[in-house]
Amino acid sequence: MTIDKEKCITCDVCNKLCPKEAVKYDCDNILIEREKCVLCGLCVPFCPLGALNIFINNEEKIILNQTKGLPN
Ligand code: SF4
Ligand code: SF4
């Protein structure tokens, strides 16, 4: 799970929607707590700047492309 800090505008969207409270947000900095993140991928397509990515075994996980929608 990576955040491109050059793109991130700390809008807080990923923090608000993460079901595991894995995003730590403090106004001008944001990070993913690896021990909490379950790599569900939900936050990735909602980032308005495309700043979030998940790579598993060097392959990008793109949840909406794989499921044609949000997970049940
Ligand atoms: S949704 Fe994207 S731009 Fe907004 S805080 Fe998260 S990583 Fe940054
Ligand atoms: S991948 Fe899932 S658990 Fe990890 S930060 Fe994003 S929404 Fe939270």
Short mmCIF file of all heavy atoms in Angstrom, two decimals:
data_model
loop_
_atom_site.label_atom_id
_atom_site.label_comp_id
_atom_site.label_asym_id
_atom_site.label_seq_id
_atom_site.Cartn_x
_atom_site.Cartn_y
_atom_site.Cartn_z
N MET A 1 0.87 -1.18 0.00
CA MET A 1 0.00 0.00 0.00
C MET A 1 0.90 1.22 0.00
O MET A 1 1.77 1.34 0.86
CB MET A 1 -0.83 -0.06 1.28
CG MET A 1 -1.72 1.13 1.52
SD MET A 1 -3.34 0.86 0.85
CE MET A 1 -3.48 2.27 -0.21
N THR A 2 0.73 2.07 -0.99
CA THR A 2 1.58 3.26 -1.05
C THR A 2 0.72 4.51 -1.20
O THR A 2 -0.37 4.47 -1.77
CB THR A 2 2.55 3.20 -2.25
OG1 THR A 2 1.79 3.17 -3.46
CG2 THR A 2 3.45 1.98 -2.17
N ILE A 3 1.24 5.60 -0.66
CA ILE A 3 0.64 6.92 -0.89
C ILE A 3 1.68 7.77 -1.58
O ILE A 3 2.81 7.90 -1.09
CB ILE A 3 0.25 7.62 0.43
CG1 ILE A 3 -0.80 6.84 1.18
CG2 ILE A 3 -0.27 9.04 0.14
CD1 ILE A 3 -1.19 7.48 2.51
N ASP A 4 1.31 8.32 -2.73
CA ASP A 4 2.19 9.26 -3.41
C ASP A 4 1.99 10.62 -2.77
O ASP A 4 1.00 11.30 -3.01
CB ASP A 4 1.85 9.29 -4.90
CG ASP A 4 2.81 10.17 -5.69
OD1 ASP A 4 3.42 11.08 -5.08
OD2 ASP A 4 2.93 9.96 -6.90
N LYS A 5 2.91 11.01 -1.94
CA LYS A 5 2.75 12.26 -1.18
C LYS A 5 2.88 13.50 -2.06
O LYS A 5 2.47 14.58 -1.65
CB LYS A 5 3.72 12.28 -0.01
CG LYS A 5 3.40 11.16 0.97
CD LYS A 5 3.84 11.42 2.37
CE LYS A 5 3.29 10.30 3.26
NZ LYS A 5 3.62 10.43 4.64
N GLU A 6 3.43 13.33 -3.26
CA GLU A 6 3.49 14.45 -4.20
C GLU A 6 2.08 14.75 -4.73
O GLU A 6 1.74 15.90 -4.99
CB GLU A 6 4.39 14.09 -5.39
CG GLU A 6 5.81 13.78 -5.03
CD GLU A 6 6.65 15.04 -4.88
OE1 GLU A 6 6.57 15.87 -5.77
OE2 GLU A 6 7.35 15.15 -3.87
N LYS A 7 1.26 13.70 -4.86
CA LYS A 7 -0.10 13.89 -5.38
C LYS A 7 -1.11 14.19 -4.28
O LYS A 7 -2.09 14.89 -4.50
CB LYS A 7 -0.57 12.62 -6.11
CG LYS A 7 0.15 12.33 -7.41
CD LYS A 7 -0.46 11.07 -8.04
CE LYS A 7 0.22 10.70 -9.33
NZ LYS A 7 -0.26 9.39 -9.84
N CYS A 8 -0.92 13.63 -3.11
CA CYS A 8 -1.91 13.71 -2.02
C CYS A 8 -2.12 15.15 -1.57
O CYS A 8 -1.18 15.89 -1.32
CB CYS A 8 -1.42 12.87 -0.84
SG CYS A 8 -2.50 12.99 0.60
N ILE A 9 -3.41 15.52 -1.47
CA ILE A 9 -3.76 16.87 -1.00
C ILE A 9 -4.38 16.80 0.40
O ILE A 9 -5.05 17.74 0.83
CB ILE A 9 -4.72 17.56 -1.99
CG1 ILE A 9 -5.96 16.69 -2.22
CG2 ILE A 9 -4.01 17.87 -3.30
CD1 ILE A 9 -7.10 17.39 -2.96
N THR A 10 -4.18 15.67 1.08
CA THR A 10 -4.72 15.43 2.43
C THR A 10 -6.20 15.82 2.54
O THR A 10 -6.62 16.50 3.46
CB THR A 10 -3.88 16.13 3.52
OG1 THR A 10 -3.84 17.51 3.29
CG2 THR A 10 -2.49 15.56 3.60
N CYS A 11 -6.98 15.32 1.56
CA CYS A 11 -8.42 15.63 1.54
C CYS A 11 -9.17 14.84 2.61
O CYS A 11 -10.29 15.17 2.95
CB CYS A 11 -9.00 15.32 0.17
SG CYS A 11 -9.03 13.56 -0.22
N ASP A 12 -8.56 13.75 3.11
CA ASP A 12 -9.14 12.96 4.20
C ASP A 12 -10.17 11.93 3.74
O ASP A 12 -10.78 11.25 4.56
CB ASP A 12 -9.75 13.89 5.26
CG ASP A 12 -9.90 13.21 6.62
OD1 ASP A 12 -9.14 12.27 6.91
OD2 ASP A 12 -10.79 13.62 7.38
N VAL A 13 -10.40 11.80 2.45
CA VAL A 13 -11.39 10.82 1.95
C VAL A 13 -11.00 9.40 2.36
O VAL A 13 -11.82 8.65 2.88
CB VAL A 13 -11.54 10.92 0.41
CG1 VAL A 13 -12.30 9.73 -0.14
CG2 VAL A 13 -12.26 12.21 0.05
N CYS A 14 -9.76 9.03 2.15
CA CYS A 14 -9.34 7.65 2.48
C CYS A 14 -9.48 7.38 3.97
O CYS A 14 -9.85 6.28 4.38
CB CYS A 14 -7.92 7.39 1.99
SG CYS A 14 -6.69 8.57 2.55
N ASN A 15 -9.21 8.37 4.76
CA ASN A 15 -9.34 8.22 6.21
C ASN A 15 -10.80 7.97 6.59
O ASN A 15 -11.12 7.09 7.38
CB ASN A 15 -8.83 9.49 6.90
CG ASN A 15 -8.90 9.40 8.40
OD1 ASN A 15 -8.76 8.33 8.97
ND2 ASN A 15 -9.10 10.53 9.05
N LYS A 16 -11.71 8.71 5.95
CA LYS A 16 -13.13 8.60 6.29
C LYS A 16 -13.72 7.25 5.88
O LYS A 16 -14.64 6.74 6.52
CB LYS A 16 -13.91 9.73 5.62
CG LYS A 16 -13.57 11.09 6.20
CD LYS A 16 -14.82 11.79 6.65
CE LYS A 16 -14.67 13.08 7.42
NZ LYS A 16 -13.39 13.66 7.61
N LEU A 17 -13.25 6.69 4.77
CA LEU A 17 -13.90 5.45 4.29
C LEU A 17 -13.20 4.16 4.68
O LEU A 17 -13.76 3.09 4.50
CB LEU A 17 -14.16 5.51 2.79
CG LEU A 17 -13.00 5.58 1.80
CD1 LEU A 17 -12.35 4.23 1.60
CD2 LEU A 17 -13.51 6.11 0.48
N CYS A 18 -12.02 4.23 5.23
CA CYS A 18 -11.31 2.99 5.56
C CYS A 18 -12.06 2.24 6.67
O CYS A 18 -12.26 2.76 7.76
CB CYS A 18 -9.89 3.30 6.03
SG CYS A 18 -9.03 1.80 6.59
N PRO A 19 -12.48 1.00 6.39
CA PRO A 19 -13.25 0.23 7.40
C PRO A 19 -12.39 -0.24 8.56
O PRO A 19 -12.92 -0.67 9.58
CB PRO A 19 -13.78 -0.96 6.60
CG PRO A 19 -12.83 -1.13 5.46
CD PRO A 19 -12.32 0.25 5.13
N LYS A 20 -11.08 -0.18 8.42
CA LYS A 20 -10.19 -0.68 9.47
C LYS A 20 -9.49 0.44 10.24
O LYS A 20 -8.59 0.16 11.05
CB LYS A 20 -9.13 -1.61 8.85
CG LYS A 20 -9.71 -2.86 8.24
CD LYS A 20 -10.31 -3.74 9.32
CE LYS A 20 -10.91 -5.00 8.75
NZ LYS A 20 -11.54 -5.82 9.78
N GLU A 21 -9.87 1.67 9.97
CA GLU A 21 -9.23 2.82 10.63
C GLU A 21 -7.71 2.74 10.51
O GLU A 21 -6.98 2.98 11.47
CB GLU A 21 -9.67 2.92 12.09
CG GLU A 21 -11.16 3.14 12.22
CD GLU A 21 -11.64 3.26 13.66
OE1 GLU A 21 -10.85 3.02 14.58
OE2 GLU A 21 -12.82 3.61 13.84
N ALA A 22 -7.28 2.39 9.31
CA ALA A 22 -5.85 2.20 9.08
C ALA A 22 -5.16 3.47 8.61
O ALA A 22 -3.94 3.50 8.51
CB ALA A 22 -5.64 1.10 8.04
N VAL A 23 -5.95 4.50 8.32
CA VAL A 23 -5.35 5.74 7.83
C VAL A 23 -5.20 6.71 8.99
O VAL A 23 -6.15 6.97 9.73
CB VAL A 23 -6.21 6.38 6.71
CG1 VAL A 23 -5.55 7.64 6.18
CG2 VAL A 23 -6.44 5.39 5.59
N LYS A 24 -4.01 7.21 9.12
CA LYS A 24 -3.74 8.16 10.18
C LYS A 24 -3.63 9.54 9.53
O LYS A 24 -2.84 9.73 8.60
CB LYS A 24 -2.43 7.78 10.88
CG LYS A 24 -2.31 8.28 12.27
CD LYS A 24 -1.13 7.62 12.95
CE LYS A 24 -0.89 8.29 14.29
NZ LYS A 24 0.35 7.79 14.89
N TYR A 25 -4.42 10.46 10.00
CA TYR A 25 -4.52 11.77 9.35
C TYR A 25 -4.33 12.87 10.38
O TYR A 25 -4.97 12.87 11.43
CB TYR A 25 -5.90 11.88 8.69
CG TYR A 25 -6.20 13.22 8.11
CD1 TYR A 25 -5.62 13.61 6.91
CD2 TYR A 25 -7.10 14.10 8.72
CE1 TYR A 25 -5.90 14.84 6.36
CE2 TYR A 25 -7.39 15.33 8.16
CZ TYR A 25 -6.79 15.70 6.98
OH TYR A 25 -7.06 16.91 6.45
N ASP A 26 -3.43 13.79 10.11
CA ASP A 26 -3.28 14.91 11.05
C ASP A 26 -3.14 16.25 10.32
O ASP A 26 -2.16 16.97 10.47
CB ASP A 26 -2.13 14.66 12.03
CG ASP A 26 -0.77 14.70 11.35
OD1 ASP A 26 -0.70 15.10 10.18
OD2 ASP A 26 0.23 14.36 12.01
N CYS A 27 -4.13 16.56 9.53
CA CYS A 27 -4.22 17.84 8.81
C CYS A 27 -3.25 17.99 7.65
O CYS A 27 -3.66 18.29 6.56
CB CYS A 27 -4.08 19.04 9.74
SG CYS A 27 -5.46 19.13 10.86
N ASP A 28 -1.97 17.85 7.83
CA ASP A 28 -1.09 18.00 6.67
C ASP A 28 -0.19 16.79 6.45
O ASP A 28 0.75 16.86 5.69
CB ASP A 28 -0.27 19.30 6.72
CG ASP A 28 0.38 19.50 8.05
OD1 ASP A 28 0.69 18.49 8.71
OD2 ASP A 28 0.55 20.64 8.45
N ASN A 29 -0.54 15.70 7.08
CA ASN A 29 0.21 14.49 6.81
C ASN A 29 -0.74 13.31 6.90
O ASN A 29 -1.68 13.31 7.67
CB ASN A 29 1.36 14.32 7.81
CG ASN A 29 2.36 13.30 7.33
OD1 ASN A 29 2.46 13.00 6.14
ND2 ASN A 29 3.10 12.74 8.26
N ILE A 30 -0.49 12.30 6.06
CA ILE A 30 -1.36 11.13 6.06
C ILE A 30 -0.51 9.90 5.86
O ILE A 30 0.45 9.92 5.10
CB ILE A 30 -2.45 11.27 4.97
CG1 ILE A 30 -3.59 10.33 5.23
CG2 ILE A 30 -1.91 11.13 3.57
CD1 ILE A 30 -4.93 10.89 4.85
N LEU A 31 -0.82 8.85 6.62
CA LEU A 31 -0.08 7.61 6.41
C LEU A 31 -0.98 6.42 6.70
O LEU A 31 -1.99 6.53 7.40
CB LEU A 31 1.20 7.58 7.26
CG LEU A 31 1.09 7.71 8.76
CD1 LEU A 31 0.93 6.34 9.41
CD2 LEU A 31 2.33 8.40 9.32
N ILE A 32 -0.61 5.28 6.13
CA ILE A 32 -1.34 4.04 6.32
C ILE A 32 -0.63 3.23 7.40
O ILE A 32 0.58 3.00 7.30
CB ILE A 32 -1.39 3.20 5.03
CG1 ILE A 32 -1.91 4.01 3.84
CG2 ILE A 32 -2.21 1.93 5.24
CD1 ILE A 32 -3.35 4.39 3.86
N GLU A 33 -1.37 2.81 8.40
CA GLU A 33 -0.79 1.97 9.44
C GLU A 33 -0.82 0.52 8.93
O GLU A 33 -1.88 -0.09 8.81
CB GLU A 33 -1.57 2.11 10.74
CG GLU A 33 -1.44 3.51 11.33
CD GLU A 33 -2.08 3.61 12.69
OE1 GLU A 33 -1.54 3.08 13.65
OE2 GLU A 33 -3.16 4.22 12.77
N ARG A 34 0.36 0.01 8.63
CA ARG A 34 0.47 -1.30 7.97
C ARG A 34 -0.13 -2.42 8.81
O ARG A 34 -0.65 -3.39 8.27
CB ARG A 34 1.94 -1.62 7.67
CG ARG A 34 2.46 -0.84 6.50
CD ARG A 34 3.95 -1.02 6.34
NE ARG A 34 4.43 -0.10 5.31
CZ ARG A 34 4.86 -0.49 4.14
NH1 ARG A 34 4.88 -1.76 3.82
NH2 ARG A 34 5.26 0.38 3.26
N GLU A 35 -0.04 -2.32 10.11
CA GLU A 35 -0.56 -3.39 10.95
C GLU A 35 -2.09 -3.43 10.96
O GLU A 35 -2.68 -4.45 11.29
CB GLU A 35 0.01 -3.30 12.38
CG GLU A 35 -0.34 -2.08 13.17
CD GLU A 35 0.51 -0.85 12.87
OE1 GLU A 35 1.33 -0.87 11.93
OE2 GLU A 35 0.33 0.14 13.57
N LYS A 36 -2.73 -2.32 10.58
CA LYS A 36 -4.20 -2.29 10.53
C LYS A 36 -4.74 -2.53 9.12
O LYS A 36 -5.82 -3.08 8.95
CB LYS A 36 -4.71 -0.94 11.03
CG LYS A 36 -4.52 -0.71 12.51
CD LYS A 36 -5.17 0.62 12.89
CE LYS A 36 -5.02 0.92 14.38
NZ LYS A 36 -5.54 2.25 14.71
N CYS A 37 -4.02 -2.10 8.11
CA CYS A 37 -4.50 -2.21 6.72
C CYS A 37 -4.57 -3.67 6.29
O CYS A 37 -3.61 -4.42 6.44
CB CYS A 37 -3.56 -1.44 5.80
SG CYS A 37 -3.98 -1.61 4.05
N VAL A 38 -5.75 -4.06 5.76
CA VAL A 38 -5.94 -5.44 5.29
C VAL A 38 -5.87 -5.53 3.76
O VAL A 38 -6.24 -6.53 3.18
CB VAL A 38 -7.28 -6.01 5.80
CG1 VAL A 38 -7.26 -6.15 7.31
CG2 VAL A 38 -8.45 -5.17 5.34
N LEU A 39 -5.40 -4.45 3.12
CA LEU A 39 -5.24 -4.39 1.66
C LEU A 39 -6.55 -4.69 0.92
O LEU A 39 -6.54 -5.35 -0.12
CB LEU A 39 -4.13 -5.35 1.21
CG LEU A 39 -2.74 -5.10 1.81
CD1 LEU A 39 -1.76 -6.16 1.34
CD2 LEU A 39 -2.23 -3.72 1.45
N CYS A 40 -7.66 -4.22 1.49
CA CYS A 40 -8.96 -4.46 0.83
C CYS A 40 -9.06 -3.68 -0.48
O CYS A 40 -9.83 -4.04 -1.36
CB CYS A 40 -10.10 -4.08 1.77
SG CYS A 40 -10.23 -2.31 2.09
N GLY A 41 -8.34 -2.58 -0.59
CA GLY A 41 -8.32 -1.80 -1.83
C GLY A 41 -9.45 -0.80 -1.96
O GLY A 41 -9.53 -0.09 -2.96
N LEU A 42 -10.31 -0.72 -0.97
CA LEU A 42 -11.48 0.17 -1.07
C LEU A 42 -11.08 1.63 -1.24
O LEU A 42 -11.70 2.37 -2.00
CB LEU A 42 -12.33 0.00 0.20
CG LEU A 42 -13.69 0.66 0.18
CD1 LEU A 42 -14.56 0.13 -0.94
CD2 LEU A 42 -14.39 0.45 1.51
N CYS A 43 -10.06 2.05 -0.57
CA CYS A 43 -9.68 3.46 -0.60
C CYS A 43 -9.12 3.88 -1.96
O CYS A 43 -9.24 5.04 -2.35
CB CYS A 43 -8.66 3.76 0.49
SG CYS A 43 -7.17 2.74 0.37
N VAL A 44 -8.53 2.95 -2.68
CA VAL A 44 -7.77 3.31 -3.89
C VAL A 44 -8.61 4.05 -4.93
O VAL A 44 -8.23 5.14 -5.36
CB VAL A 44 -7.09 2.05 -4.49
CG1 VAL A 44 -6.43 2.38 -5.83
CG2 VAL A 44 -6.07 1.48 -3.51
N PRO A 45 -9.76 3.52 -5.35
CA PRO A 45 -10.51 4.21 -6.40
C PRO A 45 -11.18 5.51 -5.95
O PRO A 45 -11.61 6.30 -6.78
CB PRO A 45 -11.57 3.18 -6.83
CG PRO A 45 -11.73 2.30 -5.65
CD PRO A 45 -10.39 2.23 -4.99
N PHE A 46 -11.27 5.71 -4.64
CA PHE A 46 -11.92 6.92 -4.15
C PHE A 46 -10.96 8.10 -3.97
O PHE A 46 -11.40 9.21 -3.70
CB PHE A 46 -12.65 6.64 -2.83
CG PHE A 46 -13.90 5.84 -3.04
CD1 PHE A 46 -13.91 4.47 -2.88
CD2 PHE A 46 -15.07 6.46 -3.45
CE1 PHE A 46 -15.06 3.73 -3.09
CE2 PHE A 46 -16.22 5.73 -3.67
CZ PHE A 46 -16.22 4.36 -3.49
N CYS A 47 -9.69 7.84 -4.10
CA CYS A 47 -8.73 8.95 -3.99
C CYS A 47 -8.89 9.84 -5.22
O CYS A 47 -8.66 9.38 -6.34
CB CYS A 47 -7.30 8.44 -3.88
SG CYS A 47 -6.10 9.79 -3.92
N PRO A 48 -9.26 11.09 -5.05
CA PRO A 48 -9.51 11.95 -6.21
C PRO A 48 -8.26 12.28 -7.01
O PRO A 48 -8.34 12.72 -8.16
CB PRO A 48 -10.12 13.22 -5.60
CG PRO A 48 -9.65 13.23 -4.19
CD PRO A 48 -9.52 11.78 -3.79
N LEU A 49 -7.09 12.06 -6.40
CA LEU A 49 -5.84 12.40 -7.07
C LEU A 49 -5.08 11.16 -7.55
O LEU A 49 -3.98 11.27 -8.09
CB LEU A 49 -4.95 13.22 -6.15
CG LEU A 49 -5.22 14.73 -6.07
CD1 LEU A 49 -4.97 15.38 -7.43
CD2 LEU A 49 -6.60 15.07 -5.59
N GLY A 50 -5.64 9.98 -7.33
CA GLY A 50 -4.95 8.76 -7.74
C GLY A 50 -3.64 8.56 -7.00
O GLY A 50 -2.67 8.03 -7.54
N ALA A 51 -3.64 8.96 -5.73
CA ALA A 51 -2.39 8.91 -4.96
C ALA A 51 -2.17 7.58 -4.24
O ALA A 51 -1.10 7.36 -3.69
CB ALA A 51 -2.38 10.04 -3.93
N LEU A 52 -3.21 6.71 -4.25
CA LEU A 52 -3.11 5.45 -3.51
C LEU A 52 -2.93 4.28 -4.47
O LEU A 52 -3.60 4.21 -5.51
CB LEU A 52 -4.38 5.23 -2.68
CG LEU A 52 -4.63 6.25 -1.59
CD1 LEU A 52 -6.05 6.11 -1.07
CD2 LEU A 52 -3.63 6.09 -0.46
N ASN A 53 -2.05 3.38 -4.13
CA ASN A 53 -1.83 2.18 -4.94
C ASN A 53 -1.55 0.99 -4.04
O ASN A 53 -0.94 1.14 -2.99
CB ASN A 53 -0.63 2.36 -5.88
CG ASN A 53 -0.91 3.39 -6.94
OD1 ASN A 53 -1.70 3.15 -7.84
ND2 ASN A 53 -0.28 4.54 -6.83
N ILE A 54 -2.01 -0.17 -4.49
CA ILE A 54 -1.67 -1.41 -3.78
C ILE A 54 -0.96 -2.33 -4.78
O ILE A 54 -1.46 -2.57 -5.88
CB ILE A 54 -2.93 -2.12 -3.24
CG1 ILE A 54 -3.57 -1.28 -2.15
CG2 ILE A 54 -2.57 -3.52 -2.71
CD1 ILE A 54 -4.85 -1.88 -1.61
N PHE A 55 0.19 -2.82 -4.36
CA PHE A 55 0.92 -3.79 -5.16
C PHE A 55 1.06 -5.07 -4.37
O PHE A 55 1.46 -5.05 -3.22
CB PHE A 55 2.31 -3.26 -5.54
CG PHE A 55 2.26 -2.14 -6.54
CD1 PHE A 55 2.17 -0.83 -6.12
CD2 PHE A 55 2.28 -2.41 -7.89
CE1 PHE A 55 2.10 0.22 -7.05
CE2 PHE A 55 2.22 -1.39 -8.83
CZ PHE A 55 2.13 -0.07 -8.40
N ILE A 56 0.65 -6.18 -4.97
CA ILE A 56 0.82 -7.49 -4.34
C ILE A 56 1.67 -8.33 -5.28
O ILE A 56 1.31 -8.52 -6.45
CB ILE A 56 -0.55 -8.16 -4.06
CG1 ILE A 56 -1.34 -7.30 -3.07
CG2 ILE A 56 -0.35 -9.58 -3.53
CD1 ILE A 56 -2.74 -7.76 -2.79
N ASN A 57 2.81 -8.80 -4.78
CA ASN A 57 3.79 -9.52 -5.61
C ASN A 57 4.11 -8.74 -6.88
O ASN A 57 4.12 -9.29 -7.98
CB ASN A 57 3.27 -10.93 -5.95
CG ASN A 57 3.12 -11.79 -4.73
OD1 ASN A 57 3.87 -11.63 -3.76
ND2 ASN A 57 2.16 -12.68 -4.75
N ASN A 58 4.34 -7.45 -6.71
CA ASN A 58 4.70 -6.54 -7.80
C ASN A 58 3.59 -6.32 -8.83
O ASN A 58 3.83 -5.74 -9.87
CB ASN A 58 5.98 -7.00 -8.52
CG ASN A 58 7.17 -6.93 -7.61
OD1 ASN A 58 7.30 -6.00 -6.81
ND2 ASN A 58 8.04 -7.92 -7.69
N GLU A 59 2.37 -6.80 -8.53
CA GLU A 59 1.25 -6.54 -9.43
C GLU A 59 0.28 -5.59 -8.77
O GLU A 59 -0.09 -5.77 -7.61
CB GLU A 59 0.51 -7.84 -9.77
CG GLU A 59 1.11 -8.54 -10.95
CD GLU A 59 0.24 -9.69 -11.43
OE1 GLU A 59 -1.00 -9.54 -11.47
OE2 GLU A 59 0.80 -10.73 -11.73
N GLU A 60 -0.17 -4.59 -9.52
CA GLU A 60 -1.09 -3.62 -8.96
C GLU A 60 -2.46 -4.25 -8.75
O GLU A 60 -2.99 -4.94 -9.62
CB GLU A 60 -1.21 -2.41 -9.88
CG GLU A 60 -1.98 -1.27 -9.25
CD GLU A 60 -1.94 0.00 -10.07
OE1 GLU A 60 -1.49 -0.03 -11.23
OE2 GLU A 60 -2.36 1.04 -9.53
N LYS A 61 -3.03 -4.03 -7.55
CA LYS A 61 -4.37 -4.53 -7.26
C LYS A 61 -5.35 -3.40 -7.59
O LYS A 61 -5.32 -2.34 -6.98
CB LYS A 61 -4.48 -4.90 -5.78
CG LYS A 61 -5.84 -5.42 -5.38
CD LYS A 61 -5.87 -5.86 -3.92
CE LYS A 61 -7.27 -6.32 -3.53
NZ LYS A 61 -7.34 -6.77 -2.14
N ILE A 62 -6.22 -3.65 -8.56
CA ILE A 62 -7.20 -2.64 -8.95
C ILE A 62 -8.58 -3.23 -8.73
O ILE A 62 -9.10 -4.00 -9.53
CB ILE A 62 -7.03 -2.21 -10.42
CG1 ILE A 62 -5.59 -1.71 -10.64
CG2 ILE A 62 -8.01 -1.11 -10.77
CD1 ILE A 62 -5.25 -1.42 -12.08
N ILE A 63 -9.18 -2.89 -7.59
CA ILE A 63 -10.37 -3.58 -7.12
C ILE A 63 -11.57 -3.40 -8.04
O ILE A 63 -12.30 -4.34 -8.30
CB ILE A 63 -10.69 -3.17 -5.67
CG1 ILE A 63 -11.65 -4.16 -5.05
CG2 ILE A 63 -11.21 -1.76 -5.59
CD1 ILE A 63 -11.77 -4.01 -3.54
N LEU A 64 -11.80 -2.21 -8.58
CA LEU A 64 -13.00 -2.01 -9.41
C LEU A 64 -12.87 -2.73 -10.74
O LEU A 64 -13.85 -3.23 -11.28
CB LEU A 64 -13.27 -0.52 -9.62
CG LEU A 64 -13.71 0.24 -8.38
CD1 LEU A 64 -14.06 1.67 -8.73
CD2 LEU A 64 -14.89 -0.42 -7.70
N ASN A 65 -11.66 -2.80 -11.28
CA ASN A 65 -11.48 -3.54 -12.53
C ASN A 65 -11.70 -5.02 -12.34
O ASN A 65 -12.20 -5.71 -13.21
CB ASN A 65 -10.06 -3.32 -13.07
CG ASN A 65 -9.94 -1.98 -13.75
OD1 ASN A 65 -10.87 -1.19 -13.74
ND2 ASN A 65 -8.78 -1.72 -14.32
N GLN A 66 -11.32 -5.52 -11.17
CA GLN A 66 -11.43 -6.95 -10.93
C GLN A 66 -12.86 -7.38 -10.65
O GLN A 66 -13.28 -8.46 -11.03
CB GLN A 66 -10.55 -7.36 -9.75
CG GLN A 66 -9.06 -7.30 -10.08
CD GLN A 66 -8.20 -7.42 -8.84
OE1 GLN A 66 -8.67 -7.25 -7.72
NE2 GLN A 66 -6.93 -7.71 -9.04
N THR A 67 -13.63 -6.54 -9.97
CA THR A 67 -14.95 -6.95 -9.52
C THR A 67 -16.08 -6.30 -10.31
O THR A 67 -17.23 -6.62 -10.12
CB THR A 67 -15.15 -6.60 -8.04
OG1 THR A 67 -15.12 -5.18 -7.92
CG2 THR A 67 -14.10 -7.23 -7.17
N LYS A 68 -15.76 -5.34 -11.19
CA LYS A 68 -16.76 -4.56 -11.93
C LYS A 68 -17.68 -3.79 -10.98
O LYS A 68 -18.83 -3.52 -11.29
CB LYS A 68 -17.60 -5.45 -12.85
CG LYS A 68 -16.80 -6.34 -13.76
CD LYS A 68 -15.94 -5.57 -14.73
CE LYS A 68 -15.23 -6.52 -15.66
NZ LYS A 68 -14.06 -5.95 -16.29
N GLY A 69 -17.21 -3.49 -9.82
CA GLY A 69 -18.00 -2.72 -8.86
C GLY A 69 -17.38 -2.86 -7.49
O GLY A 69 -16.33 -3.46 -7.33
N LEU A 70 -18.05 -2.32 -6.51
CA LEU A 70 -17.54 -2.40 -5.15
C LEU A 70 -17.78 -3.79 -4.60
O LEU A 70 -18.73 -4.47 -4.98
CB LEU A 70 -18.24 -1.36 -4.26
CG LEU A 70 -17.85 0.08 -4.58
CD1 LEU A 70 -18.71 1.03 -3.76
CD2 LEU A 70 -16.39 0.33 -4.32
N PRO A 71 -16.93 -4.23 -3.68
CA PRO A 71 -17.11 -5.57 -3.09
C PRO A 71 -18.37 -5.64 -2.26
O PRO A 71 -18.82 -4.64 -1.71
CB PRO A 71 -15.88 -5.74 -2.22
CG PRO A 71 -15.39 -4.36 -1.95
CD PRO A 71 -15.78 -3.53 -3.13
N ASN A 72 -18.97 -6.84 -2.17
CA ASN A 72 -20.18 -7.02 -1.37
C ASN A 72 -19.83 -7.03 0.11
O ASN A 72 -18.78 -7.38 0.50
CB ASN A 72 -20.88 -8.33 -1.72
CG ASN A 72 -21.40 -8.30 -3.13
OD1 ASN A 72 -21.86 -7.26 -3.59
ND2 ASN A 72 -21.30 -9.43 -3.82
S1 SF4 B 1 -7.92 10.25 -0.64
FE1 SF4 B 1 -5.98 10.56 -1.76
S2 SF4 B 1 -5.65 12.78 -1.79
FE2 SF4 B 1 -7.17 12.32 -0.21
S3 SF4 B 1 -5.96 12.09 1.69
FE3 SF4 B 1 -6.21 10.04 0.83
S4 SF4 B 1 -4.37 9.75 -0.45
FE4 SF4 B 1 -4.54 11.93 -0.05
S1 SF4 B 2 -6.67 -0.83 1.61
FE1 SF4 B 2 -8.54 -1.02 2.88
S2 SF4 B 2 -7.78 -1.33 4.97
FE2 SF4 B 2 -6.07 -0.52 3.77
S3 SF4 B 2 -6.13 1.70 4.07
FE3 SF4 B 2 -7.32 1.25 2.21
S4 SF4 B 2 -9.45 1.03 2.88
FE4 SF4 B 2 -8.12 0.87 4.69
#
